[in-house]
Amino acid sequence: MSTSTVSATSAAPKGGGRRKLTLPWILLIIAGGLVLISLVRTVSGAEDLTSIGQVSGALQLAVPIAMAGLGGLWAERSGVVNIGLEGMMILGTWFGAWAGYQWGPWTGVLMGIVGGALGGLLHAIITVTFNVNHIVSGVAVNILAIGFTQYLSNFTFDTVPGGSSKQSPRIEPITEITIPGLSDALADLQAKHWFLVSDLAGILGGLVTNLSLLTVVAILLIPATWWVLWRTAFGLRLRSCGENPVAAESLGVNVYKYKYIAVVVSGALSGLGGAFLAIVSTGIYQEGQTGGRGYIGLAAMIFGNWMPGGMALGSGLFGFTYSLKLRGGAENVHAMLLLLAILLVAVVVWQLYKRKHVQAAIAAACAAGLFVWYALVDAVPSQFVDAAPYVTTLLVLALSAQRLRMPKADGMPYRKGQGK
């Protein structure tokens, strides 16, 4: 079947007057964001806000979330809701650690992918073949993954030196790369704390200092996914299954096959995120170490409007806020209050331009409250510091909810031949 024919099944959003952001606009937004962050750093004195360590830590924290989000994107673009991302990540952490401490970290990575893919296969069988509700199946996969890995740990990790029923022996680390000369030069420049220049140096330095090879692989998977799903006939057929499976079937697409492929790939990517947690982030498997990252990856995917680039931005946002909490704690989160207040002022201006006076008034009240809070306290309470990454995730989802457009047949039951 022709590519042009299938494109007709992927209908554009209703009222599709919304224009896509062009590259110049994207670069302008990024530049504006850098200027704003640099201004906040200068005013607040939180010099660690854009340091090399901060950016490096944020990247490491964002990768597992991005892999879960990417997995969710594959599944939902084919029309299958994947709430089971968390369980597939858990399987990835266990299988990655189990193989990693015995046969090396890269074998662990491969087995983590296999473990997650098995979880994806189970979800596909339940939802695609037996047509069970996708949410029910995903929750079941999450529960089964927790119980299964706890059971396996009792007679694997518990019987070897350095392990226990709740954690694995230590895993050999994956090679990290640093670009000599460039890394040191950027570190010197960042240490000068110049406006904008040092911030840019800190961001670039975090991308070329102590970077795990697995991080590079994971980052490359994001543009690779975009190319496969949006620039190949295979991707077009897969996305048509998520938009209108009946029409896709009438044009000769094996909908079941594409849904199976997408959900298994979804599980494999989530498993990669889990293996990253066990092998790169901590060096051991620990019970409960995913910490809800599968759900946050799902939130990042929704924030990104079911697109790889937007999903990456959402993952980076969570990784950045979580890294702020770990590295600078109250000081960094206190600076974020000022950043949020300024962003809300921009929201007020935009809402007034759109003549939405009620929304503008609410945003103005929130901005005023944040400015007052920032001015009256030197450090925010520790409870808010711990909750900051999750609060940020909720706020971003709430602000972006009005522009979201999910695949039309996402989560809808489908039976082969139902259009006849």
Side-chain angles (χ1 to χ4, degrees):
M1 92 187 171
S2 69
T3 300
S4 58
T5 308
V6 181
S7 346
T9 68
S10 302
K14 292 181 180 179
R18 185 184 301 277
R19 295 180 180 178
K20 292 184 178 180
L21 288 176
T22 59
L23 182 59
W25 274 107
I26 293 173
L27 293 176
L28 185 62
I29 291 171
I30 292 173
L34 284 173
V35 171
L36 180 57
I37 292 174
S38 183
L39 177 65
V40 169
R41 176 188 61 80
T42 304
V43 172
S44 66
E47 301 295 350
D48 195 45
L49 206 59
T50 53
S51 68
I52 289 177
Q54 172 70 45
V55 174
S56 180
L59 185 61
Q60 188 175 105
L61 290 164
V63 166
I65 297 167
M67 291 301 97
L70 205 60
L73 188 147
W74 271 83
E76 300 211 7
R77 278 294 176 179
S78 73
V80 179
V81 174
N82 193 355
I83 296 293
L85 294 170
E86 177 76 6
M88 296 167 198
M89 283 192 79
I90 292 172
L91 292 172
T93 59
W94 192 90
F95 279 95
W98 172 73
Y101 87 87
Q102 297 180 87
W103 302 301
W106 287 108
T107 305
V109 170
L110 292 176
M111 286 305 297
I113 293 172
V114 170
L118 290 175
L121 178 62
L122 176 62
H123 186 53
I125 292 171
I126 296 172
T127 56
V128 179
T129 300
F130 294 102
N131 216 14
V132 174
N133 180 278
H134 299 186
I135 305 298
V136 172
S137 174
V139 171
V141 169
N142 291 337
I143 295 172
L144 286 171
I146 294 172
F148 185 58
T149 52
Q150 287 176 344
Y151 170 73
L152 291 176
S153 295
N154 287 329
F155 62 86
T156 51
F157 299 148
D158 198 27
T159 60
V160 295
S164 71
S165 61
K166 295 185 181 297
Q167 73 174 46
S168 71
R170 186 151 292 278
I171 306 163
E172 180 184 345
I174 288 177
T175 303
E176 294 183 341
I177 56 175
T178 297
I179 299 179
L182 179 59
S183 177
D184 294 335
L186 290 171
D188 292 339
L189 194 56
Q190 183 258 315
K192 297 182 183 297
H193 305 308
W194 291 340
F195 181 79
L196 191 59
V197 176
S198 292
D199 299 284
L200 187 59
I203 293 171
L204 294 176
L207 300 178
V208 298
T209 305
N210 297 329
L211 195 65
S212 169
L213 288 177
L214 187 56
T215 302
V216 178
V217 172
I219 291 173
L220 291 176
L221 286 174
I222 297 174
T225 288
W226 173 82
W227 184 81
V228 170
L229 293 184
W230 274 270
R231 286 294 181 268
T232 67
F234 167 83
L236 189 57
R237 295 186 182 103
L238 187 147
R239 288 186 292 116
S240 73
C241 296
E243 295 292 341
N244 194 333
V246 174
E249 181 188 358
S250 71
L251 296 172
V253 175
N254 188 334
V255 176
Y256 278 11
K257 182 182 79 172
Y258 280 91
K259 284 180 180 287
Y260 260 90
I261 291 172
V263 180
V264 170
V265 170
S266 173
L269 289 168
S270 299
L272 175 60
F276 186 96
L277 274 175
I279 297 171
V280 177
S281 298
T282 60
I284 57 173
Y285 162 83
Q286 292 176 307
E287 187 177 303
Q289 74 185 128
T290 54
R293 286 175 174 83
Y295 300 111
I296 298 168
L298 192 65
M301 178 207 67
I302 295 171
F303 161 74
N305 212 3
W306 288 265
M307 294 293 289
M311 180 280 306
L313 287 175
S315 303
L317 176 65
F318 184 87
F320 181 69
T321 53
Y322 203 88
S323 182
L324 287 177
K325 165 197 155 183
L326 293 180
R327 286 183 57 85
E331 182 185 6
N332 282 341
V333 176
H334 181 244
M336 289 298 291
L337 294 178
L338 179 60
L339 178 62
L340 287 174
I342 296 173
L343 287 174
L344 282 173
V345 171
V347 171
V348 171
V349 174
W350 177 251
Q351 296 294 355
L352 288 174
Y353 171 75
K354 302 287 286 185
R355 296 183 180 179
K356 296 181 178 180
H357 299 98
V358 175
Q359 293 90 330
I362 294 172
C366 293
L370 287 173
F371 276 123
V372 171
W373 190 5
Y374 174 80
L376 293 181
V377 301
D378 294 327
V380 296
S382 59
Q383 294 88 345
F384 183 80
V385 173
D386 293 335
Y390 306 97
V391 171
T392 302
T393 302
L394 290 173
L395 286 174
V396 166
L397 283 176
L399 290 173
S400 62
Q402 295 181 355
R403 54 172 282 273
L404 299 179
R405 189 240 171 211
M406 66 191 296
K408 287 187 176 180
D410 193 16
M412 295 176 61
Y414 165 76
R415 276 299 196 192
K416 186 175 182 179
Q418 72 180 39
K420 295 180 180 178

